[in-house]
Amino acid sequence: MQITKELTKLYYSIGEVAEMFDVSPSLIRYWESEFKNLKPQKNRKGDRKFTTKDIRELEKIYTLVKERGFTLIGAQRELKNKGYEYKSNAVLKLEKLKAKLIKLKAKLDS
């Protein structure tokens, strides 16, 4: 999932972030407890304030868990890989299509 809304604010509330991903705030809190690299700041009242970096991290988690079907442990392992690169399903499909087109072009050229 790619956030289409431009992130212009410094901080976003958990409600705003949950709305961006169309999930419940409790799921965001749960993912925060499961993924060490997701640590939003909290104010004195305890309200979470998510930065753009936190939202990008949530995009990765969302893609792995919700779109690609990883378990939480599998997603944690994938994120630990230093070579992890965020790719949405659309990008993965386009890469496959590109590879097919390159093969087809090679056949036509020979």
Side-chain angles (χ1 to χ4, degrees):
M1 156 171 243
Q2 194 100 13
I3 299 294
T4 54
K5 176 183 167 186
E6 187 177 328
L7 301 175
T8 55
K9 294 171 40 177
L10 234 51
Y11 297 103
Y12 293 85
S13 70
I14 193 165
E16 291 171 317
V17 174
E19 190 176 305
M20 284 180 203
F21 291 98
D22 195 27
V23 297
S24 68
S26 62
L27 181 61
I28 302 288
R29 287 190 295 273
Y30 178 66
W31 283 349
E32 180 188 342
S33 70
E34 294 295 316
F35 293 90
K36 293 179 182 178
N37 46 352
L38 182 60
K39 291 289 178 204
Q41 295 179 3
K42 294 181 184 177
N43 63 15
R44 290 181 186 205
K45 204 170 132 186
D47 297 334
R48 290 162 177 82
K49 296 296 175 188
F50 292 84
T51 62
T52 302
K53 180 183 173 209
D54 296 322
I55 293 170
R56 295 297 173 217
E57 196 63 34
L58 274 168
E59 277 183 320
K60 294 175 188 176
I61 295 167
Y62 182 92
T63 299
L64 291 172
V65 174
K66 293 289 189 178
E67 292 180 354
R68 295 182 61 195
F70 279 64
T71 63
L72 290 182
I73 293 172
Q76 290 165 349
R77 286 182 188 147
E78 185 72 16
L79 288 172
K80 283 182 184 177
N81 273 343
K82 291 183 181 178
Y84 177 80
E85 183 181 329
Y86 170 76
K87 291 184 182 179
S88 67
N89 280 344
V91 173
L92 293 172
K93 287 178 184 176
L94 287 172
E95 287 178 345
K96 287 179 185 178
L97 179 61
K98 180 182 175 183
K100 287 180 183 179
L101 289 172
I102 290 170
K103 285 181 184 178
L104 180 61
K105 183 181 183 294
K107 284 181 183 179
L108 291 174
D109 289 342
S110 49

